[in-house]
Amino acid sequence: MSNLSKLFGGSSTTDPRKEGLPLFGLWGGSGDQNTQMNYRVFDSNFRVVSSPWAAVTSTTSNYRFGMLSDGSHAYAMNDHGTDFHSDLTTQGYSSWTNYQKSIYQVDQYPHCFHYTVSREGFPTWQSYHQFTSSFEYQVGWTKLNMVLPEGVRPRRTFTNRRHTMREFMGNSDCNCDYYNYSSHLVDPAVYNYATGTGYNEKNKMLVMIHSGDEGGNTSKSIHIFKSSVDLNATTRIKDFFDNLEWTEYFTDTWTNQNNKDWCVVVGNNCWVGFGLKQSNSKRYGVFDCNQKGVGVDTTGASRQWSTWQDFAGSTTTSYGATQGHQYYTKFQTTWDGTWGMIYSPYYYYGCGINAFAMSLENPRKFININQTKSSRVNPYIAWGRTGFHGGKSDNCDSEVWQTYAFAFDPKDSDHTVDTRVYKGSTSGEGAMPDNNSLVGGDFTNKTGVCSLDAMRTGLHGGTQTTNYPMLMGVNWWGSYGNADASYGGK
Amino acid sequence: MATYYFNNKGEPATPFTVSGEEMVLKGRGIKAIAPDGIEAWRLSYNLVTKVVDVAYEGLSEEDAIAKKLEDGTAEAAATLQAEKDKRAVEEAE
């Protein structure tokens, strides 16, 4: 493929999938979501990048205006909802106009749970008429957790259920590829239910869990497939399996409340993290999936590093796949693909966060991330080079919009030393103190709990006017390079 | 009664000794005594009185949730009404 760097004699090429630093949408509206409302897309430096779209109204009965007035992209006259101020105690996915601010809305895939948002700033509410049976809500848990190169999000949607991998177009309900890999399974004990799959593009390695059922069965068979071709570059899924270099497995018995919650994180060093929401808490364990040889190390005990870690932060009642398959545990990565997190809400249907954040170079390096907001929240999204933010402001009336922001060191992958987390502050003096202290902290591997702090962004909600902001995921962050306002030279 | 660890803003951080003691040791947390049987979302450490406060004290979890929803609905309605009243005054001027 020809590109500019080749034309100008450059020695390296940029992956055409590579995006600029993360963007986010910010929806703002008055208390009735009607009298005043607007929507903008910002970059990771909090600079607006979208175009205005004539969001003007002065009536109290017309929720459609500007580009939102297009009836063919709307289900109801107020798709965007009229209540962004709910506390998500009872508002699950079927209360979708309230639920849009749930932590469940955004994962590593570019599409979101209840909507899709373009870089230009046009939000579209999807699954208008049958949202209770669409792809994401029912079987989104079958999507592969991807570890990808810098700036790349999954552009193809592969799923795994039973002994079959499929490809879908985005989060539509239509198959575009199918492959039954039963003949490649090497564990003599056949478990029929694939319940968690991870892929590492650098290693071309696919790791999948098979269980005795899609509920609470604890029997596990873990297969490791190492191919010579990249799954994301194949024309058909079959091509990946036709070019396997080696396949190994191990078996174990793992405690789990619901198998649909399993997330599989395949590290660049071939150690693999397995994590899930477990009742109100979570569990995370790491296993060596490097090549051992046929019939070698086929038990979990022979491959496990240290012990399973229960979530060490604060927990309260919160919901996962046991309460509904759409509430499966989520996975997300930083823009540069060096850190990831397996996460679920702290509170009921999507407030706060309970997460294991792990190095994607070495999943044995991980800490606990904790934030205990119990009402009126927002999701978390990738932010900047090596961080995440979200979850804070619920009303910007006379306030600067704030997020819980945190960032990691992209070179930090040694699990024998503490993990450094950079944080923000709600004041300039807090963020840039008149001393030499670290704004953030160093956390003990495995048991350390990082309690998040809020950061002021500089985006102002406007004085004396109720403003309930909604943070939204954006489906394309723009091509990587100096045309991006966030481009920092790397 | 049981030990619970809070962050320096008084928010619940962890019930676990190893993680909590690290927070205290590194100046990131406060060790306190909290009542048994209360979900963490209702707990906060009062930085002034130096004791653990319990939201909706005396209520069961179910009743506390119901009261929280009731309070939230009332607050949102009051905010919206205040906004409408303010707008009406501005339009009349």
Side-chain angles (χ1 to χ4, degrees):
Chain A
M1 178 183 287
S2 180
N3 63 26
L4 283 178
S5 59
K6 276 188 175 175
L7 289 172
F8 290 108
S11 59
S12 63
T13 58
T14 300
D15 188 327
R17 299 172 300 168
K18 185 170 182 176
E19 302 179 62
L21 290 173
L23 308 179
F24 66 91
L26 188 60
W27 180 281
S30 52
D32 58 4
Q33 300 298 305
N34 183 25
T35 311
Q36 296 170 340
M37 189 187 301
N38 214 320
Y39 178 77
R40 294 285 187 270
V41 174
F42 293 90
D43 66 16
S44 285
N45 293 325
F46 305 103
R47 294 185 291 230
V48 67
V49 298
S50 60
S51 303
W53 44 266
V56 177
T57 184
S58 59
T59 75
T60 56
S61 59
N62 179 15
Y63 292 92
R64 286 182 181 171
F65 46 82
M67 290 171 72
L68 285 176
S69 66
D70 183 348
S72 66
H73 294 113
Y75 174 45
M77 67 182 296
N78 56 355
D79 294 294
H80 43 76
T82 58
D83 181 7
F84 285 172
H85 215 45
S86 58
D87 66 8
L88 299 175
T89 303
T90 58
Q91 297 88 356
Y93 82 108
S94 59
S95 307
W96 65 303
T97 58
N98 309 129
Y99 186 66
Q100 295 190 72
K101 294 175 78 171
S102 168
I103 193 175
Y104 287 117
Q105 291 292 346
V106 184
D107 64 12
Q108 76 165 157
Y109 281 75
H111 50 256
C112 298
F113 215 94
H114 275 306
Y115 57 81
T116 182
V117 171
S118 74
R119 174 185 171 84
E120 290 71 31
F122 183 30
T124 295
W125 277 265
Q126 57 201 24
S127 309
Y128 313 119
H129 298 285
Q130 299 188 32
F131 61 87
T132 56
S133 59
S134 75
F135 178 82
E136 177 70 29
Y137 312 116
Q138 302 297 304
V139 289
W141 60 272
T142 64
K143 291 189 300 188
L144 272 57
N145 302 136
M146 291 272 186
V147 174
L148 297 165
E150 180 179 271
V152 177
R153 285 189 286 178
R155 309 313 301 186
R156 300 172 68 177
T157 304
F158 295 105
T159 66
N160 187 16
R161 194 174 193 182
R162 297 282 187 135
H163 291 171
T164 300
M165 283 185 60
R166 304 170 198 269
E167 184 176 5
F168 287 80
M169 297 302 293
N171 62 342
S172 73
D173 279 344
C174 187
N175 289 253
C176 59
D177 192 15
Y178 159 91
Y179 185 69
N180 184 318
Y181 53 77
S182 295
S183 62
H184 296 283
L185 295 172
V186 293
D187 180 3
V190 177
Y191 298 109
N192 288 325
Y193 299 88
T195 55
T197 310
Y199 178 69
N200 183 297
E201 186 168 301
K202 179 182 177 184
N203 296 326
K204 304 179 184 66
M205 181 182 281
L206 191 61
V207 177
M208 57 181 75
I209 305 168
H210 282 89
S211 305
D213 64 22
E214 291 180 353
N217 188 282
T218 59
S219 298
K220 295 288 173 285
S221 172
I222 292 84
H223 275 83
I224 309 156
F225 298 107
K226 171 74 173 72
S227 181
S228 62
V229 301
D230 170 21
L231 177 66
N232 287 316
T234 57
T235 305
R236 300 176 304 168
I237 298 166
K238 181 177 183 297
D239 300 339
F240 177 88
F241 287 93
D242 281 349
N243 288 280
L244 290 176
E245 293 179 337
W246 54 268
T247 304
E248 293 184 6
Y249 78 96
F250 63 94
T251 59
D252 211 343
T253 302
W254 291 354
T255 301
N256 42 223
Q257 189 180 36
N258 193 296
N259 279 306
K260 293 173 182 172
D261 276 310
W262 280 109
C263 291
V264 181
V265 183
V266 186
N268 289 339
N269 65 349
C270 298
W271 285 81
V272 179
F274 299 87
L276 84 167
K277 181 172 173 56
Q278 173 71 14
S279 189
N280 290 339
S281 184
K282 311 176 86 66
R283 300 185 83 210
Y284 181 77
V286 191
F287 292 75
D288 185 357
C289 290
N290 284 281
Q291 188 174 17
K292 303 293 182 183
V294 177
V296 178
D297 290 345
T298 57
T299 65
S302 64
R303 291 181 181 255
Q304 185 168 18
W305 172 77
S306 188
T307 57
W308 286 98
Q309 176 65 43
D310 289 327
F311 183 67
S314 179
T315 61
T316 195
T317 299
S318 57
Y319 293 149
T322 296
Q323 284 75 31
H325 35 200
Q326 63 275 20
Y327 308 126
Y328 62 93
T329 310
K330 300 291 191 290
F331 174 68
Q332 197 166 164
T333 67
T334 58
W335 172 83
D336 62 6
T338 61
W339 283 80
M341 64 175 179
I342 293 172
Y343 64 102
S344 55
Y346 164 74
Y347 175 88
Y348 285 82
Y349 286 108
C351 298
I353 188 168
N354 287 167
F356 288 112
M358 72 291 297
S359 163
L360 299 181
E361 182 63 33
N362 173 20
R364 286 171 293 180
K365 185 175 184 66
F366 67 96
I367 59 169
N368 305 265
I369 300 289
N370 197 52
Q371 205 291 311
T372 58
K373 205 165 191 291
S374 59
S375 72
R376 300 169 177 170
V377 292
N378 266 299
Y380 284 79
I381 62 167
W383 169 69
R385 183 193 60 198
T386 321
F388 300 99
H389 79 152
K392 170 64 170 122
S393 290
D394 55 68
N395 186 353
C396 287
D397 185 355
S398 306
E399 281 186 6
V400 171
W401 187 64
Q402 301 174 21
T403 68
Y404 293 110
F406 56 109
F408 298 94
D409 178 348
K411 300 291 186 186
D412 182 12
S413 61
D414 182 352
H415 63 279
T416 65
V417 301
D418 287 357
T419 293
R420 175 154 294 182
V421 179
Y422 299 100
K423 296 183 183 180
S425 175
T426 53
S427 76
E429 287 293 333
M432 181 69 75
D434 186 17
N435 57 49
N436 292 316
S437 62
L438 169 71
V439 179
D442 295 320
F443 300 88
T444 300
N445 197 56
K446 200 169 183 280
T447 58
V449 175
C450 175
S451 198
L452 300 181
D453 293 318
M455 172 193 72
R456 292 176 77 173
T457 63
L459 302 179
H460 206 289
T463 59
Q464 300 177 329
T465 301
T466 305
N467 176 9
Y468 299 149
M470 180 165 71
L471 187 156
M472 302 173 80
V474 173
N475 59 26
W476 175 245
W477 295 332
S479 298
Y480 175 76
N482 59 12
D484 183 344
S486 297
Y487 179 69
K490 183 184 186 301
Chain B
M1 306 296 269
T3 299
Y4 212 98
Y5 298 87
F6 297 80
N7 66 19
N8 289 334
K9 291 184 171 65
E11 300 162 345
T14 179
F16 299 107
T17 304
V18 171
S19 304
E21 290 298 326
E22 180 193 351
M23 294 185 72
V24 174
L25 183 67
K26 293 183 176 177
R28 293 196 292 258
I30 300 161
K31 185 177 184 177
I33 300 299
D36 292 324
I38 302 292
E39 291 228 19
W41 71 267
R42 297 170 65 182
L43 303 178
S44 60
Y45 183 79
N46 190 315
L47 299 173
V48 176
T49 62
K50 312 283 188 195
V51 296
V52 174
D53 288 341
V54 178
Y56 309 109
E57 191 158 20
L59 298 184
S60 66
E61 172 70 5
E62 187 180 353
D63 290 342
I65 286 290
K67 187 72 170 69
K68 178 173 180 281
L69 289 172
E70 184 184 316
D71 290 350
T73 303
E75 183 201 326
T79 303
L80 183 58
Q81 188 58 50
E83 195 171 296
K84 287 178 178 175
D85 292 345
K86 179 170 172 286
R87 196 171 300 125
V89 170
E90 288 170 353
E91 287 172 359
E93 287 176 349

